[in-house]
Amino acid sequence: MLIAITRPVSPSINRCELTFHDKEPIDISKAAAQHAAYEACLRALGVRVVSLAVEPDLPDAVFVEDAAVVVDEAAVIPVMGAPSRRPETDGIAAALAEYRSLKFLESPATLDGGDVMRIGRRLFVGASSRTNAVGIDQLRAALAPFRYEVNAVEISRCLHLKSGCSYVGRNSILVNREWVDVKQFAGFELIDVPAEEPGAANALLIESVIERAVEDVVEGVVEDVVDDVVIVPSAFPRTIAMLEARGFAVRPIDVSELQKAEGGVTCKSIIFNADEPDS
Ligand code: GLY
């Protein structure tokens, strides 16, 4: 089954890191409600949500994606690029240890999981202000025994690689080419975000590998969907319409408060395939 690790919005989120966004007040109640709706959306799609304890003193802790890189055989725990965020990895490592063997990157490596776009056995890693060349090399070495290919991607004017591109299934990458150098993406279909919506390339693919229990569908606990679903912020109607016109099943979701914290829809979960841990 698909598992999503999440963490509640921290009450200190107004002290979050900001790199390309100006500071705007974040309504914590509204952010928490939007995060709950995001988790409900995942559950409705058949994903088992594992919500960790709140981290009141770690403003960016809701953005769990940055604290790990999970592949089928292992979970890699990075040294996060922002020093304020480094304590976030402790709780994430403890949670992931239930499902995967752990590998740890070491200083001077820095890497944020939001810089890693995995497509099958290929990992594209953004050379961002958070992820350095040593981090990319150490990730490559950590995953070499499992035969993953790791390629660096140049990015500019955005926080993470996945601020500017996401794999949306069907061999397609949704991308803002103003922010991401696409030369590593030969062989994939590139879908450009509309110019009016430069931030819309962060989309979350939920693949239809989910085995939905028939009784859960009958009782309405999960939806009877068979297609892959792409979760896209409702702030990007042109992108949603474009993807739907191309035949993608899109689920719009309001994440406006966490967008003020430079977050998107991928950042708020770590999603991977696993059996239930042994109790
Ligand atoms: N506020 C999200 C980050 O800077 O990592």
Side-chain angles (χ1 to χ4, degrees), residues 4 11 27 34 63 94 184 265:
D27 180 329
Q34 290 177 349
F63 301 126
Q184 293 285 358
V265 287

Side-chain angles (χ1 to χ4, degrees), residues 11 20 24 50-51 76 127 135 143 146 164 196 199 209 231 242 272-273:
F20 291 93
E24 288 180 77
V50 177
S51 181
V76 180
L143 298 181
F146 312 121
E196 302 86 348
V209 294
I231 298 174
M242 177 187 68
F272 52 91
N273 236 314

